[in-house]
Amino acid sequence: MDTTFTETLTAMITVLGMLVLLVLPAVIGIARDRRTDRQIREAREARGVQQGQKSSSKSTVPSTATWYADGRRSKKLVSS
């Protein structure tokens, strides 16, 4: 092995090591997010089976105040 080969090998190992140090936190974060999502999904499924109703099935009908405000807004737009 001559000096050029050794320097090239050292530089490649250094660059790969720096790449690993830069990518590792992102990979750890992705793994943590996936674990948290899985835990939340399992908790929702367990709660949905026990209660028999999920929170997303609630009615989303607007209140009386919203209907009143929409009516008044439309009248102002027509008269102007």
Side-chain angles (χ1 to χ4, degrees):
M1 288 184 15
D2 65 341
T3 307
T4 307
F5 180 75
T6 307
E7 289 176 358
T8 304
L9 185 62
T10 306
M12 285 180 17
I13 291 172
T14 302
V15 169
L16 288 175
M18 292 174 70
L19 180 66
V20 167
L21 287 175
L22 289 174
V23 172
L24 189 63
V27 171
I28 291 172
I30 290 170
R32 183 178 293 169
D33 286 346
R34 291 186 64 156
R35 185 184 72 218
T36 303
D37 290 343
R38 181 175 38 85
Q39 290 174 346
I40 290 171
R41 191 179 332 110
E42 289 172 356
R44 282 185 182 165
E45 289 173 359
R47 186 180 57 181
V49 170
Q50 291 173 356
Q51 293 179 352
Q53 177 179 340
K54 292 187 177 181
S55 61
S56 62
S57 63
K58 291 182 181 176
S59 176
T60 57
V61 177
S63 67
T64 306
T66 305
W67 288 106
Y68 178 73
D70 286 341
R72 291 184 53 88
R73 266 190 237 118
S74 63
K75 289 177 185 175
K76 286 181 181 178
L77 292 175
V78 171
S79 65
S80 59

